[in-house]
Structures are given as structure tokens and as C-alpha cells.
Amino acid sequence: GTYVHKMIVADIYGDLDDKALEPEWLGWLESWRKAKRLLQIRDYLAVEKVLGSVARGFAGTVDLIYGNGLALPTICDFKTGEEEDWHRLQLAGYLRLVGVSHYRQNIYLRADGKLPKMTLHKSGARDLADWDAVFRTFQLQHKRGNHGR
């Protein structure tokens, strides 16, 4: 996943030489480009941006915040694996750090170059409540020295 993320960032900034890529990476790139065209991503508002809050006690790196002419920008996270329920919570955490309304989306890129699955998370209030509960549980465990045990 890390190499795919770096490749997408280079593509966004126009620093990617497709001809220099090993053949096994071309599918991932094509999958990203298909998503970019379909979603009409035009404005890159943040790319691999580290967000953090001392007051909230956590930080994270947002893959992409983009605009495409919709009313709100979209916080986007790229995945190279299958969809899992916790992905929506990761985006809810980013939403807490951004502090304003955004759409939230996962893009599940494909090695075969096909159009990726794109999941737009709409249950904002539920996801934020779930994030807050999970994070509070982590804080309590951490305070007691129960680091995930």
C-alpha cells in the first residue's frame, strides 16, 4: 500500500514517469486514474497531509482532500485491500481533526487496473459517535497501561 500511495502522490503532483514504473504497478495507477476521472477530481486541497490535535490527543495522515464542484470537499482514503468496517471510523477520526463538514470516501484501488470500488460514507453522526467511543476506550486503556491487551 505504501508504494501505491507514493505513486498516486507523484501522479497528483505531475512528477510520475509512467514509463519508469515496473509493470506490476501500472494496474494500480490506472485504477486511481479511472477513479479520478469518474469523480471529476479537480482541486487537490490536501495531499498526504498530517493532521493533529493536542487537545483531542491524536493525529493522522489524510491521503487526499479534494474538491470536484460539490458543495463540500471530500476526505478520501486509498486502500489496496478489501473493504472493512473500521475504514469508516478512520475517516470519522480525520473528520474530527479537520473540524468542518466534509464528505468522506474510501477508494479501494485494484491491481488489475479496473475501476475501483468507491464507498461514500453518509452516516456521519453514527460514525463520529462510534469513533468517539472507540477512541475513548483506547485512551482509558492507554492510561491504565493496557495497550491493546
Side-chain angles (χ1 to χ4, degrees), residues 37-128:
R37 282 190 298 275
L38 182 69
L39 296 169
Q40 300 177 354
I41 297 174
R42 299 191 297 256
D43 302 315
Y44 299 103
L45 306 173
V47 180
E48 289 292 318
K49 181 163 179 75
V50 176
L51 302 172
S53 168
V54 173
R56 292 191 182 276
F58 71 96
T61 302
V62 172
D63 292 343
L64 177 65
I65 300 177
Y66 71 85
N68 63 358
L70 296 175
L72 298 173
T74 301
I75 300 171
C76 180
D77 195 66
F78 305 115
K79 300 294 184 193
T80 56
E82 297 298 317
E83 184 171 9
E84 296 188 40
D85 192 47
W86 65 267
H87 295 162
R88 68 182 175 84
L89 298 180
Q90 179 183 15
L91 287 167
Y94 293 155
L95 186 59
R96 281 282 187 235
L97 291 172
V98 171
V100 295
S101 293
H102 284 67
Y103 294 115
R104 296 169 298 117
Q105 179 176 55
N106 287 108
I107 297 179
Y108 296 91
L109 299 167
R110 297 177 50 127
D112 61 9
K114 292 182 180 177
L115 186 67
K117 179 178 183 178
M118 294 172 270
T119 302
L120 188 64
H121 301 281
K122 297 178 182 175
S123 55
R126 186 189 103 203
D127 290 352
L128 288 170

